[in-house]
Amino acid sequence: MNSRDTAIPTAASQNAPAITLKQVALLQRRREKLQEATQELESLLAGRNTALAQLGAETAAEQRTLAERLARAYARNEAIDRLKEQGLFARYQQLPLNEAPLATAPESAIVLPFFYCAVRLASGTPWYAGTVEDVAQLAASAQSRAANPRALLLDELCDTTDYLAEGVPRPDDFFAMMDDVYQVLAGTPIADAIPPHLREMVASPYQQALDEAAWAGLPLMSPQQLDEAVASGQLDADLVQQNRAAFEAQWNQLLDEAQRHSSWETDAMTAAEQESQRQHRRIAGQLEAWRDSFSDADEFCQQYLNLREEVFEGEGYPDNFANLASRAAETLLAQEGLSQLARKDTVDEAIYLLGKIKSRLTARACHE
């Protein structure tokens, strides 16, 4: 018998207590809490919990200025990386940042529109804390979503839900929030701004299926299903038929249930629908008031369109965009004296304390 065929129980496995399904499920939650705590610590040290208003970005004009400063800091970090790659960093490392021969404009045309949109979104809309951390998180989200532009376009073309009107904003998704805000400010969905050649690139292999689904009154296939079908290069007529059958079955079931409702159930459903309509009217009023307070709506929408042109028809987001965006923010915070990372003693203390925790955990593991 091959020795690899039979697992030899170790002393640790023989003595380990039985673990329940609940305990296994709790592992993920505890890991998430640990990640949240370490991220909060890192954000605190970097100063990313600083309010954008504290950086002098309260009015629309001041927020645009902040976006420009972030873009310049982004460009300087790009240039510093280039000096390191070329072995020239030591020659300039003692020069003040503003005097060093560094680029003042980013290499990517997407940087300034992003910072403009992200700063305005984080500080000018009611769904964010209005901190530098918001901008850093939006940068990570933007890079992640733009990595699959076809899926992003499919979402925008197929998902017609007005999320803000429904009262369900999506602040963790840069493009989702920008699309929703664009619709409020421009009065039209972002899908109307997608040019025909991009629509054709995404949807042409499926126009027959889409037309058939629309004719039958069916919901469109999900973006994920469409993307998978695009990747396979096949028209999934069976899926459309399954969607139709499911839709008809659901509709017939609803009709049957409606006929069996008693009068009090019907009254309760009517009252619930009326309350839902009142809630939507309240949300609509709040959105209208917020829209009227947005002083630079036209420029905001145009900057987003500029960003989208770079995403879908330009070079898109650099692979290290989120990292450079965070570094740009931290550079600016350090210039303003708001970053603990600029204080060696503070960082050394944090590393020392983390090392103490590591030592305690290591010692505990050795004795168990």
Side-chain angles (χ1 to χ4, degrees), residues 10-271:
T10 65
S13 63
Q14 288 175 333
N15 298 327
I19 188 169
T20 66
L21 297 181
K22 179 180 179 180
Q23 289 172 318
V24 172
L26 282 173
L27 297 178
Q28 173 66 12
R29 178 56 188 148
R30 288 168 182 164
R31 183 164 68 89
E32 290 172 354
K33 290 174 69 175
L34 178 62
Q35 289 174 335
E36 290 171 5
T38 53
Q39 182 177 345
E40 288 175 3
L41 173 61
E42 193 266 336
S43 180
L44 177 63
L45 286 171
R48 293 199 306 271
N49 61 334
T50 301
L52 294 169
Q54 194 173 341
L55 293 172
E58 297 187 271
T59 68
E62 291 169 342
Q63 288 158 10
R64 179 180 180 85
T65 298
L66 176 58
E68 293 169 350
R69 293 180 66 193
L70 286 166
R72 285 196 297 272
Y74 183 106
R76 285 167 175 160
N77 277 288
E78 278 184 324
I80 288 172
D81 288 348
R82 197 76 65 248
L83 289 175
K84 290 179 178 179
E85 292 170 3
Q86 297 168 350
L88 300 174
F89 179 72
R91 182 184 304 177
Y92 303 105
Q93 62 181 345
Q94 298 301 328
L95 289 178
L97 183 63
N98 293 331
E99 297 178 14
L102 303 176
T104 57
E107 297 174 7
S108 173
I110 207 169
V111 175
L112 181 56
F114 166 78
F115 278 126
Y116 177 88
C117 292
V119 169
R120 294 294 288 121
L121 188 65
S123 57
T125 62
W127 301 285
Y128 296 93
T131 65
V132 176
E133 182 64 44
D134 290 325
V135 175
Q137 293 298 323
L138 288 169
S141 170
Q143 180 181 336
S144 174
R145 289 285 279 141
N148 191 342
R150 182 194 297 147
L152 178 55
L153 284 172
L154 286 168
D155 276 346
E156 294 176 330
L157 289 170
C158 299
D159 188 351
T160 58
T161 304
D162 189 344
Y163 287 93
L164 291 188
E166 296 288 341
V168 283
R170 300 165 288 172
D172 293 337
D173 188 328
F174 172 78
F175 282 97
M177 284 302 296
M178 286 299 302
D179 289 350
D180 292 347
V181 170
Y182 177 91
Q183 179 162 337
V184 172
L185 298 178
T188 60
I190 194 61
D192 290 357
I194 298 175
H197 65 279
L198 288 180
R199 290 171 172 267
E200 183 177 354
M201 177 189 74
V202 173
S204 58
Y206 295 93
Q207 196 58 53
Q208 178 183 343
L210 295 175
D211 291 344
E212 183 178 356
W215 176 81
L218 298 174
L220 299 178
M221 288 185 286
S222 72
Q224 181 181 358
Q225 291 167 330
L226 277 172
D227 199 40
E228 291 172 354
V230 171
S232 68
Q234 298 177 354
L235 178 64
D236 195 347
D238 290 341
L239 182 59
V240 175
Q241 182 59 37
Q242 292 170 14
N243 284 348
R244 180 191 294 110
F247 179 83
E248 291 176 347
Q250 184 179 15
W251 180 251
N252 290 333
Q253 181 181 356
L254 289 173
L255 289 177
D256 291 341
E257 291 176 355
Q259 292 174 353
R260 293 196 299 269
H261 280 317
S262 61
S263 59
W264 71 267
E265 288 178 304
T266 302
D267 292 343
M269 292 173 63
T270 300

Side-chain angles (χ1 to χ4, degrees), residues 278-297:
R278 283 193 293 270
Q279 180 182 3
H280 283 183
R281 285 195 295 270
R282 286 195 299 270
I283 293 173
Q286 293 168 354
L287 286 175
E288 184 176 356
W290 168 75
R291 180 191 62 205
D292 293 343
S293 70
F294 215 95
S295 61
D296 59 337

